Every structure is written in structure tokens, then in C-alpha cells.
């Protein structure tokens, strides 16, 4: 099935957004095919045992969006997909589909991680009944999604991706191309749900992020959405849904951030999720104008949903028992609404000084380091 023929007006939501911010991506026209599609892909990390929920999700995703645009799928697994899995998926779509295995080098415990300490930490997290606290496979997944998925060979030819997971739901018809919207408006990251993290899973990630910022002499505008001098507010974008630029993660600045975090061992010793890592990276490297909230994509994962009531003649149909989480307790959407488009300047100096948008200056000698500035994108 070829890409739908739609007008420019139909391609975009009501809000026409144009960002003057320089992006890390190439010129828009260089990465749009002759048929008007972006070089984009649907990425799905899935196990053979998740076939049933995956089929339900894929049926919804095809009906709501991809049967019109036929963007390719890449399915990834830490083991080989079975023939039955492949046949069952191929029966649901006419879009191109690739199946790949995650290499052991992307799904393993680094040599630097002390396995005895790791075993103790897993036992401790399990004893405290922290969600996925005792799971080693969950840690592999989070580390893979944080620092490796965009380096998988099957994604090498693409610039944008849409992450989809088995069991999620989509509630709105999309008759425009969100990839083209992102590309045209210089958006590098997007989300539908933003919420607070379980604090026990990431006790040290904020401190490490600030240390990284000082080490590389960073000036940020979005980081204060996630916290301030008093600490991390636990807000993050829920990465089980994300439409984003692969160049954002391929950028050497992000790779340096991931390598720094990975070197701490805390993807394993703690239980750092890729949602936190991706979110704090947007805080370090992006402006708010480069991040988009897809208000018109109804979505549900586990017990959390972004639901739209667009009336009797609208394109969304959320089930009656699905509650919109946008402004419930634990949601960070009110903070996002209130955060200014221009952001709040927050500079980090190698000597430990921090300079704020109101020209205040705070000395934090515990963060002093020998600076190594990350090369800019320009």
C-alpha cells in the first residue's frame, strides 16, 4: 500500500509550528522521499511470547495510521523471532517489515559491572517490592533503549522513528503524517504522556547529570523543567511512546552523555530507565521548541492514558473506562504547560559555578572538574 495522497493542510495539526532553532538533522528536503514521506521507521522491541498483545497493537496502529502511509517496521528481539511470529505479523500489514536480533554486545552486562554487587542490588530491590527492581532483563532493555537501539544496523538508513510496544492502544485516526510534521517544524522529540518516576529507581541520576553538565561546560534552557538547585522533580517523558529524530541520539553529545552514565554501572546497580535518560538528555541538549506534545494522538500504556474527547464528529474514540491522565496526580503536564517556550537559562561551569536565567550565580565546588567541552552541532 503506497503513501496516501493528502493535501498540505491535512498533513499538520491545527497548531502550525515553525522553530528557528538549529537542529542536528540535515535539511528537510534531503531526507524526504519523492513520494513525500520522511525516511522514517516504526521500531518495536518485542519477544516471541508477546505475539498476542503485539497483534492487537499492530491492528490498531495499522487501522489508525499506517495503512494510509505504509511506513516500514523493524521488529527487534534479544533472540531469534520464530517463523510463526513472523507469519502472524506479516498477515496484518502490507508495509515492509524487517525482523532482527539484538547482538549480545548490546544486551549484556559490561565487564566493568561487579556481578557480586549487582546480585546484591537485585536482591535488595526485589525485597523492597520496587517495580521491576529484581529484573535483570528489564535492565538490559532499558540500557539497550538508552544507548544502542539507534545503532542497530536495521535502523542505519532512517532519520526518524516511532517507538511502539506490544499491548499499547491507539485511539485516534491520524490522516496526516507526524513524521513530516516533526521534520518540517524542526521537532526532534515528542511525547504523549509525562509523569513522575519512582524515586527509588534513580537515586543518583540527577547528580550524575549535573556532573556531566559541569564537565562539559553546558548551557541549558530546558533542564529546569526536570529540576532545579533543590534536586530532580522526577518528571520525565514516557518513552514507550516517542516519535523522535535518530540524529538526536546519534549526536556525539548524546553519545558522550550515555557513555558517562553507562560508566557508572547504575543501569544495573540502580534501575535507570531509558525514559529518564532520554528525558534528561532533551533537557541538556534541546529547547522546548524542539519537543512536541502530540495532543491529537490518543494513547494508552498500562494504566496511563492520554485521551482526547473531540466530540461526536471527531476522530478519537477512547473507551468509557479509560481516564485521561494529563492532569491527574503524578502527571507533569501542568508543569509542561507552564514552562516558557524560551526556557530558563542554566549554565554549568567546570569550576562548579552555576549561572541562572536571572543572573544569580551559585558556587558548587563539589561539581568542580576539568572541563571537556562537547563539540557543538554547528
Amino acid at each position: 500500500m503506497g503513501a496516501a495522497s493528502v493535501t498540505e493542510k491535512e498533513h499538520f495539526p491545527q497548531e502550525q509550528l515553525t522553530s528557528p532553532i538549529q537542529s542536528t538533522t540535515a535539511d528537510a528536503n534531503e531526507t524526504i522521499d519523492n513520494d513525500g514521506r520522511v525516511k522514517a521507521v516504526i521500531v518495536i522491541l518485542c519477544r516471541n511470547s508477546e505475539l498476542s498483545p503485539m497483534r492487537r497493537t499492530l491492528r490498531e496502529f495499522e487501522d489508525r495510521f499506517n495503512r494510509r502511509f505504509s511506513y516500514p517496521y523493524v521488529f527487534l528481539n534479544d533472540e531469534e523471532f520464530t517463523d510463526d511470529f513472523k507469519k502472524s505479523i506479516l498477515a496484518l500489514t502490507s508495509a515492509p517489515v524487517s525482523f532482527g536480533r539484538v547482538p549480545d554486545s548490546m544486551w549484556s552486562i559490561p565487564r566493568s559491572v561487579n556481578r557480586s554487587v549487582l546480585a546484591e542490588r537485585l536482591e535488595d530491590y526485589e525485597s523492597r517490592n520496587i517495580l521491576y527492581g529484581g529484573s535483570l532483563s528489564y535492565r538490559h532493555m532499558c540500557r539497550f533503549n538508552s544507548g544502542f537501539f539507534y545503532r542497530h544496523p536495521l535502523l542505519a538508513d532512517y532519520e526518524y522513528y516511532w517507538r511502539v510496544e506490544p499491548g499499547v492502544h491507539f485511539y485516534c485516526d491520524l490522516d496526516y503524517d507526524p513524521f513530516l510534521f516533526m521534520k518540517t517544524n524542526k521537532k526532534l522529540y515528542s511525547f504523549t504522556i509525562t509523569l513522575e518516576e519512582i524515586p527509588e529507581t534513580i537515586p543518583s541520576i540527577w547528580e550524575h547529570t549535573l556532573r556531566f553538565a559541569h564537565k562539559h561546560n553546558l548551557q541549558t534552557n530546558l533542564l529546569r523543567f526536570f529540576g532545579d538547585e533543590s534536586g530532580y522533580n522526577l518528571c520525565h517523558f514516557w518513552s514507550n511512546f516517542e516519535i523522535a529524530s535518530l540524529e538526536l541520539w546519534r549526536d556525539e553529545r548524546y553519545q558522550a552523555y550515555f557513555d558517562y552514565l553507562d560508566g557508572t554501572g547504575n543501569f544495573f546497580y540502580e534501575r535507570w530507565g531509558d525514559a529518564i535518560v532520554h528525558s534528561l538528555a532533551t533537557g541538556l541538549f534541546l529547547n522546548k521548541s524542539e519537543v512536541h506534545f502530540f495532543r491529537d494522538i490518543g494513547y494508552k500504556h498500562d494504566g496511563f492514558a492520554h485521551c482526547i474527547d473531540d466530540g461526536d464528529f471527531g476522530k478519537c474514540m477512547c473507551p468509557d473506562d479509560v481516564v485521561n491522565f494529563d492532569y491527574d496526580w503524578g502527571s507533569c503536564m501542568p508543569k509542561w504547560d507552564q514552562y516558557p517556550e524560551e526556557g530558563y537559562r542554566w549554565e554549568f561551569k567546570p569550576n562548579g559555578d552555576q549561572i541562572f536565567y536571572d543572573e544569580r550565580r551559585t558556587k558548587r565546588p563539589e561539581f568542580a572538574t576539568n572541563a571537556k567541552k562537547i563539540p557543538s552541532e554547528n
Side-chain angles (χ1 to χ4, degrees):
M1 183 182 299
S5 175
V6 294
T7 67
E8 185 178 88
K9 180 178 179 181
E10 289 173 321
H11 264 301
F12 299 96
Q14 290 183 342
E15 47 185 317
Q16 287 286 326
L17 301 173
T18 303
S19 167
I21 304 299
Q22 292 277 333
S23 77
T24 59
T25 57
D27 181 81
N29 292 329
E30 295 177 3
T31 50
I32 296 177
D33 293 337
N34 292 332
D35 60 2
R37 296 192 310 167
V38 179
K39 292 181 180 177
V41 63
I42 316 302
V43 180
I44 301 171
L45 183 64
C46 184
R47 289 195 169 99
N48 291 302
S49 60
E50 296 173 305
L51 176 59
S52 182
M54 187 67 252
R55 278 178 55 85
R56 287 194 295 270
T57 293
L58 188 59
R59 180 71 277 152
E60 289 183 23
F61 189 78
E62 281 285 308
D63 291 345
R64 297 302 193 185
F65 168 68
N66 207 37
R67 63 185 173 85
R68 299 178 181 88
F69 294 94
S70 199
Y71 274 104
Y73 294 93
V74 167
F75 281 81
L76 299 175
N77 191 348
D78 64 319
E79 59 185 27
E80 296 293 342
F81 284 109
T82 65
D83 289 341
D84 284 347
F85 184 97
K86 295 177 183 178
K87 291 176 183 177
S88 186
I89 293 300
L90 292 172
L92 293 175
T93 180
S94 59
V97 181
S98 299
F99 298 93
R101 183 178 176 274
V102 176
D104 292 342
S105 60
M106 297 182 178
W107 197 280
S108 57
I109 302 173
R111 292 181 179 178
S112 58
V113 171
N114 186 311
R115 290 175 182 257
S116 297
V117 174
L118 170 58
E120 293 173 1
R121 297 293 176 86
L122 291 176
E123 183 178 352
D124 173 62
Y125 270 92
E126 182 75 23
S127 69
R128 288 187 283 152
N129 295 315
I130 295 171
L131 186 66
Y132 303 121
S135 172
L136 181 58
S137 64
Y138 187 83
R139 286 167 167 80
H140 283 310
M141 179 192 72
C142 291
R143 182 172 177 261
F144 172 75
N145 281 327
S146 295
F148 294 100
F149 86 93
Y150 52 90
R151 292 188 271 181
H152 194 283
L154 289 178
L155 300 185
D157 294 333
Y158 299 107
E159 185 196 1
Y160 277 83
Y161 71 98
W162 185 334
R163 176 171 162 181
V164 174
E165 294 194 354
V168 303
H169 296 282
F170 295 93
Y171 296 131
C172 302
D173 283 341
L174 281 180
D175 58 4
Y176 72 95
D177 185 342
F179 291 122
L180 189 57
F181 170 82
M182 294 279 289
K183 184 68 184 177
T184 303
N185 290 282
K186 295 184 172 63
K187 302 294 181 181
L188 300 181
Y189 191 84
S190 66
F191 68 97
T192 56
I193 295 173
T194 176
L195 73 172
E196 295 178 2
E197 178 60 297
I198 302 168
E200 292 84 359
T201 65
I202 39 86
S204 70
I205 197 168
W206 182 252
E207 177 186 344
H208 280 297
T209 297
L210 298 191
R211 288 190 180 281
F212 176 86
H214 279 287
K215 180 180 180 181
H216 295 285
N217 196 21
L218 296 183
Q219 176 179 319
T220 69
N221 293 311
L222 185 56
L223 191 61
R224 288 183 76 87
F225 170 67
F226 302 102
D228 54 27
E229 306 92 296
S230 64
Y232 181 31
N233 62 20
L234 304 178
C235 286
H236 64 289
F237 306 124
W238 223 14
S239 61
N240 44 74
F241 172 102
E242 55 186 12
I243 302 174
S245 168
L246 286 160
E247 299 304 316
L248 173 59
W249 315 130
R250 291 166 178 158
D251 191 297
E252 61 185 351
R253 298 171 303 166
Y254 175 76
Q255 195 58 52
Y257 178 55
F258 170 75
D259 289 343
Y260 173 84
L261 295 181
D262 199 34
T264 69
N266 286 336
F267 281 102
F268 295 93
Y269 298 142
E270 297 181 8
R271 205 226 66 189
W272 290 357
D274 54 275
I276 304 295
V277 176
H278 283 186
S279 298
L280 293 181
T282 67
L284 290 173
F285 305 126
L286 300 185
N287 295 309
K288 186 180 181 183
S289 60
E290 294 171 299
V291 179
H292 183 65
F293 169 51
F294 271 108
R295 192 177 303 275
D296 56 347
I297 298 182
Y299 176 78
K300 182 173 184 280
H301 179 277
D302 290 343
F304 299 90
H306 166 62
C307 248
I308 304 101
D309 181 2
D310 56 355
D312 292 340
F313 302 100
K315 298 177 181 178
C316 298
M317 283 294 293
C318 289
D320 292 338
D321 61 347
V322 173
V323 178
N324 183 25
F325 176 69
D326 287 1
Y327 298 99
D328 277 3
W329 181 87
S331 172
C332 295
M333 201 64 216
K335 289 185 177 70
W336 181 256
D337 290 342
Q338 295 164 11
Y339 198 81
E341 191 76 4
E342 67 276 13
Y344 292 113
R345 181 170 60 94
W346 192 1
E347 295 184 46
F348 299 87
K349 298 301 181 182
N351 65 359
D353 285 5
Q354 296 179 10
I355 305 173
F356 305 99
Y357 59 96
D358 55 4
E359 302 305 327
R360 285 182 298 118
R361 193 179 192 108
T362 299
K363 293 187 177 297
R364 299 291 299 273
E366 69 272 26
F367 289 124
T369 181
N370 294 323
K372 182 183 177 183
K373 176 115 177 151
I374 301 176
S376 68
E377 58 194 297
N378 296 322

